[in-house]
Amino acid sequence: MGSFKTSVFIFVLYLLERALSNSLIQLNNNGYEGIVIAIDPNVPEDETLIQQIKDMVTQASPYLFEATENRFYFKNVAILIPENWKAKPEYVRPKLETYKNADVLVAESNPPGNDEPYTEQIGNCGEKGERIYFTPDFLAGKKLLEYGPQGRAFVHEWAHLRWGLFNEYNNDQKFYLSNGKNKAVMCSGAFTGKSVTKKCQGGSCITKACRPDRVTGQYEKECQFVLDKVQTEKASIMFAQSVDSVVKFCTEQNHNKEAPNMQNQRCNLRSTWEVIRDSEDFKTTTPMNTQPPKPTFSLLQIGQRIVCLVLDKSGSMATGGRLNRLNQAGKLFLLQTVEQGSWVGMVAFDSAGYVRSELLQIHSSTDRNVLIKSLPTAASGGTSICSGLQSASKVIKKKYPTDGSEIVLLTDGEDNTISGCFNEVKQSGAIIHTVALGPSAAAELEELSKMTGGLQTYASDQAQNNGLIDAFGALSSGNGALSQRSIQLESRGLTLQNSEWMNGTVIVDSTIGNDTLFLITWTTQPPQILLWDPSGKKQDGFLVDAQSKTAYLQIPGTAKVGIWNYSLQASSQTLTLTVTSRPSSATVPPITVTSKMNKDTGKFPSPMRVYANIRQGGTPILGASVTALIESTNGKTVTLELLDNGAGADATKNDGVYSRYFTAYDTNGRYSLKVWALGGMNAARKGVIPQQNGAMHMAGWIENGEVKWNPTRPENNKNDLPGKQVCFSRTSSGGSFVASSVPVAPIPDLFPPCQITDLKAKIQGGNLINLTWTAPGDDYDHGRAQKYIIRVSTSILDLRDKFDNSVQVNTTDLIPKDANSEEDFVFKPENITFENGTDLFIAIQAVDKVNLKSEISNIAQVSLFIPPETPPETLPPSVPCPDISINSTIPGIHILKIMWKWIGELQLSVGLN
């Protein structure tokens, strides 16, 4: 009985972990298993790259083991090899491993020359990151001087990815004032080196010592702290892993709490080791007594996509037009979403499973239409999900092993026997994507997608929200080349009365346009359809299917770039419009939008976080208008504007990740997420590389007392691509999540203002302090807070740990602004000694109308620097001019006599000649 309880507990922990991340990583007896390192399909074939990946992980494992006090190591790693690389006997087909759930991506540098290793990290301190990025040149060892050995850099990135640590350096602010003196931002403070700046002109450079500004006392922005090549300090890996002596993380004993870096700002001044110690990994392990074995590797090569649709045709599917909506969504998937060359089969189920189509490879529109005709058109019977899954497994096994195959499971019904096939599903190696339709779909449905790494989605019965089509549109391949992936440009719906019009525009940008499809659905009778291309030419030729109530138009060739206008007219029915396209080039990456919630389950009153990541390749897109629509099983839709402002739910400003808190729970059960993104006048590609959560670029090293500079970090390169305006439209399905513990209406106000994370302070006009921050809301980042509490202290730890006892600032005249507004406040410190060289620490707490308080903000610091007085200029005492006449007797004047005589003779001689 005890072992059964243990296995159930481990399985539940696994599901909870999967809910937070798509990663397949598991910690087993101190060893990390299931790590997936994927080589991007655009990387030229090079077998040495595989060995370089192995070498990096093999070097990293003992380094990680020592750094974590004999607690963790790398046990096994799967390397995903692109389909377009030459096949080899040792390359096997993946199971659950895909590009979408890869933990590390090896891709070409973007922009060119930027080989900085980094980790995409959108969550809070202690939360797992998204993915690590390396370039082939980095893995080849071409950046050793700048970033150190690859294995050490991998451990630095692993700490970002696995434990949610942040950098202990700061590229944007390399020094700070402490006790009126400049200190380098580093951890620990025991590193040795020099504060220098490099001045270049006309192709030559000189190194100078940094000089403080006479007014502010601060070093100039170009000043850098260059480390001595030989060090004895062992910490910290999150500061300078490339230093030979560094083998530890900073602890609370040697952590520099004053340094203005992301680790202090995001982790409440806690050291990196404290954060690791609080992780589930640490709590569930004990140190090993023996050295760990070397990592093992499996080589997996991506193959053709194999997918089987498993579609519910039980009696409940006849209600509310569900079966017809299933046909409409299935039509989009088969016409557009599934890629050329894929193998597709189809199973329908009620109380038993029925094969509708064996696996068919898609080569043409004819193959697609054969499958469309196999969609179920009649509903009856009970619901046996396991029967459907077992039938799908048989269909796949007739041609291929089930390893790495995909099953798309749609159901609207309850089935209390679903857990009976969990073990079979896990052993099959198939990935299951689940689509829950309506409020009564089986509660255990999501466990199938969680245990297999599939996508979970939910669609309500509100046809105008287009949820079912969005769910099927999101099922593009996790492994196919990006150039073949279907990208959704538009998804709209509206219920029209009395011959009303549904009007709108769709932007086709230059990065997409191939295989563009306009799909229109209705609920009673065909609407009037008008569509014009950017030149104003009316587009005809829509193919109408009266049975499934759909009409579609595929634009031949590449669709014209620009604004496409549409107008749809109908009465007393609901219309939807969906527009999809594929990239216009195999070499130019398209603009993509991916969206998600921070987890798959939400428990009231804990808030959820919404994320939308907008990029073109590795380049973030800034200034877009991004809107999230979150729909509950009640049919209520909440609209949120997502922001990339580095405040509230948003971890980093201007990184192309747009975020917002969700607190508007209205019921228990499933919620769906859809994101609209629009790029217009304010949207632009980010030309300058933002500070990444990655290994520190070493500006240079000091060897034998001489500064030897390394190549400049790419963000300082004048050849960087400048910000370029982009216009685009995209929609993205972000899957679904399940809410629990939501009380019946009226919902109580249990949401405090969110934590202020971007508080900054500077000295103004002598002894005044100017504070700036982004305003929180009444409920996290929504609404308006009631008041602010600002406190100051000369002890950073007292302010953090004894905030309520610290000196309070008079904020009578400080009225909070609406959430996400910029706040600015100036005050003069009172009741505290503030003199030259004093370090003062400031923090803020926001309070809402029911007196709920936010967490204490990040702590800002100022150091009072009073410039030394310049003594008045004084002239030397007046001395009479000496007599320099010919007869002068002043000592030495005879020299002047001789000089004047010689000059006179010379002039005479020149004149004679």
Side-chain angles (χ1 to χ4, degrees):
M1 185 69 181
S3 62
F4 173 75
K5 285 183 177 180
T6 301
S7 64
V8 170
F9 174 71
I10 291 172
F11 180 65
V12 169
L13 277 180
Y14 170 71
L15 289 182
L16 288 173
E17 182 174 285
R18 293 280 305 120
L20 295 175
S21 170
N22 289 325
S23 174
L24 302 176
I25 297 170
Q26 294 188 66
L27 181 60
N28 184 10
N29 293 329
N30 300 85
Y32 288 109
E33 301 177 331
I35 303 165
V36 178
I37 300 180
I39 301 172
D40 188 82
N42 289 325
V43 172
E45 184 168 355
D46 181 3
E47 281 188 53
T48 61
L49 185 58
I50 296 173
Q51 186 59 48
Q52 289 161 358
I53 292 171
K54 291 180 178 181
D55 291 343
M56 175 185 71
V57 179
T58 302
Q59 294 164 9
S61 189
Y63 186 59
L64 175 69
F65 188 68
E66 180 180 3
T68 57
E69 298 180 353
N70 300 355
R71 198 175 289 268
F72 305 120
Y73 69 98
F74 297 122
K75 195 170 187 179
N76 64 55
V77 172
I79 301 176
L80 275 186
I81 299 166
E83 184 179 1
N84 56 6
W85 285 30
K86 184 179 178 181
K88 289 197 164 189
E90 60 266 33
Y91 299 169
V92 299
R93 185 175 174 86
K95 291 187 177 182
L96 306 182
E97 301 89 353
T98 70
Y99 278 96
K100 284 186 176 178
N101 61 28
D103 307 291
V104 181
L105 182 65
V106 179
E108 293 291 337
S109 58
N110 187 353
N114 173 30
D115 293 291
E116 179 174 352
Y118 71 96
T119 303
E120 188 178 358
Q121 202 171 354
I122 64 177
N124 290 331
C125 180
E127 293 184 3
K128 293 181 176 63
E130 300 296 299
R131 180 179 287 182
I132 296 169
Y133 291 84
F134 293 124
T135 68
D137 278 358
F138 170 81
L139 289 173
K142 295 180 181 180
K143 304 295 174 181
L144 286 174
L145 286 174
E146 297 99 308
Y147 299 107
Q150 299 93 311
R152 285 170 165 255
F154 183 39
V155 171
H156 177 106
E157 302 309 328
W158 183 262
H160 287 303
L161 181 78
R162 187 66 186 179
W163 303 310
L165 304 188
F166 289 88
N167 292 330
E168 292 176 320
Y169 64 90
N170 188 341
N171 282 329
D172 298 325
Q173 183 185 346
K174 295 182 172 66
F175 295 87
Y176 65 102
L177 285 178
S178 178
N179 295 320
K181 296 181 179 179
N182 282 281
K183 286 189 176 181
V185 176
M186 58 185 179
C187 193
S188 72
F191 289 95
T192 59
K194 293 179 181 178
S195 301
V196 294
T197 184
K198 183 167 66 171
K199 301 287 186 181
C200 298
Q201 188 173 6
S204 62
C205 300
I206 59 172
T207 299
K208 290 185 175 182
C210 297
R211 294 178 179 274
D213 184 277
R214 283 189 58 82
V215 176
T216 66
Q218 297 174 334
Y219 284 151
E220 56 193 323
K221 187 176 175 64
E222 294 76 18
C223 184
Q224 306 199 58
F225 188 76
V226 179
L227 297 176
D228 291 325
K229 185 68 175 176
V230 178
Q231 302 278 344
T232 57
E233 178 57 30
K234 293 185 176 183
S236 170
I237 290 171
M238 301 313 289
F239 170 64
Q241 81 295 324
S242 56
V243 173
D244 291 342
S245 64
V246 170
V247 292
K248 299 288 184 182
F249 293 96
C250 264
T251 66
E252 54 264 61
Q253 283 74 38
N254 59 7
H255 176 59
N256 182 358
K257 300 175 180 62
E258 290 186 1
N261 54 37
M262 286 293 287
Q263 176 65 23
N264 280 328
Q265 182 178 339
R266 304 296 296 187
C267 297
N268 196 24
L269 309 182
R270 288 185 298 159
S271 68
T272 52
W273 186 246
E274 288 174 273
V275 177
I276 294 172
R277 209 169 53 201
D278 288 342
S279 69
E280 286 301 314
D281 288 356
F282 195 96
K283 293 175 182 176
T284 54
T285 55
T286 55
M288 295 172 61
N289 295 321
T290 59
Q291 288 295 310
K294 289 185 177 181
T296 60
F297 300 89
S298 53
L299 305 181
L300 312 178
Q301 186 166 34
I302 303 302
Q304 294 169 319
R305 188 180 191 190
I306 301 164
V307 58
C308 187
L309 300 178
V310 179
L311 307 174
D312 189 346
K313 60 168 287 292
S314 62
S316 56
M317 287 292 291
T319 61
R322 289 177 183 170
L323 193 64
N324 190 64
R325 290 175 56 216
L326 161 61
N327 274 262
Q328 295 168 345
K331 195 165 189 173
L332 174 72
F333 179 79
L334 295 169
L335 276 175
Q336 183 76 358
T337 307
V338 70
E339 299 81 4
Q340 287 285 98
S342 301
W343 289 86
V344 182
M346 191 184 301
V347 167
F349 70 93
D350 43 38
S351 53
Y354 311 91
V355 177
R356 303 284 296 185
S357 173
E358 302 290 353
L359 286 180
L360 174 66
Q361 190 170 26
I362 295 178
H363 294 294
S364 65
S365 58
T366 302
D367 300 322
R368 296 179 185 272
N369 286 325
V370 168
L371 288 160
I372 288 171
K373 290 176 182 177
S374 301
L375 290 165
T377 56
S380 63
T383 304
S384 175
I385 292 172
C386 284
S387 295
L389 293 174
Q390 288 160 353
S391 296
S393 182
K394 291 176 182 177
V395 166
I396 295 168
K397 283 179 178 178
K398 285 182 181 179
K399 276 195 174 291
Y400 293 101
T402 51
D403 287 349
S405 62
E406 298 172 71
I407 292 174
V408 178
L409 171 63
L410 177 143
T411 184
D412 74 336
E414 297 179 356
D415 180 359
N416 55 15
T417 67
I418 189 172
S419 60
C421 55
F422 277 4
N423 285 332
E424 188 177 348
V425 165
K426 282 189 287 185
Q427 292 168 7
S428 73
I431 299 166
I432 299 182
H433 309 292
T434 57
V435 183
L437 177 57
S440 302
E444 302 87 352
L445 190 63
E446 281 79 8
E447 293 185 22
L448 289 167
S449 51
K450 288 174 184 175
M451 71 174 67
T452 63
L455 177 66
Q456 65 178 57
T457 57
Y458 159 70
S460 75
D461 285 325
Q462 306 297 316
Q464 71 273 14
N465 290 335
N466 215 23
L468 199 53
I469 284 179
D470 290 338
F472 274 77
L475 294 170
S476 59
S477 172
N479 285 328
L482 190 57
S483 60
Q484 296 299 313
R485 194 168 299 170
S486 177
I487 295 173
Q488 194 161 299
L489 310 186
E490 181 65 289
S491 172
R492 299 274 177 175
L494 194 63
T495 299
L496 303 178
Q497 306 292 340
N498 304 321
S499 298
E500 291 178 321
W501 290 90
M502 174 176 159
N503 302 312
T505 60
V506 179
I507 300 174
V508 174
D509 60 90
S510 61
T511 70
I512 47 94
N514 286 347
D515 198 17
T516 302
L517 176 81
F518 287 78
L519 177 72
I520 294 159
T521 74
W522 57 88
T523 52
T524 58
Q525 58 187 5
Q528 181 178 355
I529 302 171
L530 300 174
L531 176 67
W532 298 271
D533 72 11
S535 68
K537 182 181 178 181
K538 186 173 178 292
Q539 302 294 300
D540 297 315
F542 275 86
L543 298 176
V544 178
D545 180 356
Q547 183 178 1
S548 65
K549 299 181 175 64
T550 60
Y552 69 91
L553 175 66
Q554 284 187 303
I555 307 299
T558 303
K560 288 184 178 179
V561 172
I563 298 175
W564 292 63
N565 291 275
Y566 63 85
S567 292
L568 312 177
Q569 187 184 40
S571 295
S572 303
Q573 64 170 324
T574 299
L575 306 182
T576 73
L577 171 76
T578 306
V579 185
T580 62
S581 188
R582 298 190 197 279
S584 58
S585 168
T587 56
V588 178
I591 295 170
T592 59
V593 177
T594 54
S595 55
K596 61 178 285 186
M597 305 298 296
N598 66 312
K599 50 188 177 180
D600 294 335
T601 55
K603 186 174 182 180
F604 183 89
S606 295
M608 300 283 286
R609 294 194 298 276
V610 192
Y611 299 115
N613 194 347
I614 309 181
R615 317 192 85 74
Q616 184 182 5
T619 305
I621 303 295
L622 310 185
S625 174
V626 187
T627 305
L629 284 81
I630 299 176
E631 183 186 6
S632 71
T633 53
N634 280 349
K636 177 184 175 183
T637 300
V638 175
T639 301
L640 298 176
E641 180 189 5
L642 306 187
L643 303 171
D644 186 13
N645 61 352
D650 193 58
T652 306
K653 186 175 182 177
N654 290 342
D655 65 347
V657 178
Y658 298 72
S659 318
R660 201 72 183 271
Y661 281 107
F662 170 74
T663 59
Y665 296 97
D666 68 300
T667 186
N668 290 312
R670 296 182 174 98
Y671 291 68
S672 66
L673 167 66
K674 175 162 71 176
V675 166
W676 286 327
L678 187 65
M681 295 300 294
N682 295 321
R685 298 181 184 93
K686 178 72 173 178
V688 177
I689 302 164
Q691 176 169 323
Q692 307 278 19
N693 295 309
M696 181 168 69
H697 177 280
M698 286 295 179
W701 298 97
I702 298 177
E703 297 184 66
N704 300 320
E706 180 185 352
V707 177
K708 296 184 178 179
W709 295 99
N710 290 329
T712 307
R713 187 169 177 261
E715 71 168 3
N716 298 323
N717 192 331
K718 293 181 180 179
N719 294 322
D720 276 347
L721 178 72
K724 184 177 181 181
Q725 182 181 315
V726 289
C727 295
F728 66 92
S729 61
R730 298 285 188 274
T731 65
S732 168
S733 171
S736 63
F737 65 95
V738 178
S740 62
S741 301
V742 181
V744 297
I747 307 294
D749 182 359
L750 299 179
F751 299 108
C754 65
Q755 182 189 29
I756 295 166
T757 58
D758 62 349
L759 177 65
K760 295 181 177 63
K762 62 181 180 181
I763 300 292
Q764 177 177 307
N767 59 354
L768 297 177
I769 297 175
N770 176 226
L771 301 180
T772 56
W773 68 94
T774 301
D778 179 83
D779 297 339
Y780 285 87
D781 54 7
H782 304 278
R784 180 186 291 198
Q786 188 74 13
K787 65 177 181 179
Y788 293 119
I789 299 172
I790 301 177
R791 294 184 184 274
V792 298
S793 176
T794 54
S795 166
I796 193 169
L797 289 182
D798 282 352
L799 187 62
R800 183 190 71 173
D801 301 333
K802 304 173 185 177
F803 181 80
D804 290 339
N805 297 331
S806 299
V807 174
Q808 185 166 351
V809 175
N810 184 350
T811 57
T812 304
D813 298 329
L814 177 56
I815 308 300
K817 297 178 182 177
D818 290 335
N820 301 301
S821 301
E822 293 299 317
E823 297 276 26
D824 192 302
F825 180 65
V826 177
F827 71 96
K828 182 177 181 181
E830 297 176 350
N831 304 318
I832 196 165
T833 302
F834 194 45
E835 55 192 15
N836 195 24
T838 299
D839 295 329
L840 197 63
F841 303 96
I842 309 107
I844 303 182
Q845 197 172 41
V847 185
D848 72 5
K849 60 180 178 293
V850 295
N851 210 36
L852 294 173
K853 296 179 180 179
S854 71
E855 295 181 51
I856 308 301
S857 71
N858 67 292
I859 296 178
Q861 174 188 358
V862 292
S863 184
L864 184 59
F865 178 81
I866 300 175
E869 291 186 9
T870 303
E873 280 193 28
T874 55
L875 295 174
S878 179
V879 177
C881 291
D883 178 6
I884 54 173
S885 64
I886 296 299
N887 297 321
S888 174
T889 57
I890 298 176
I893 199 64
H894 64 280
I895 298 174
L896 288 174
K897 293 178 183 178
I898 295 170
M899 287 181 66
W900 282 116
K901 181 180 179 184
W902 176 79
I903 292 171
E905 290 175 350
L906 178 63
Q907 288 174 333
L908 179 61
S909 172
V910 172
L912 291 174
N913 294 328

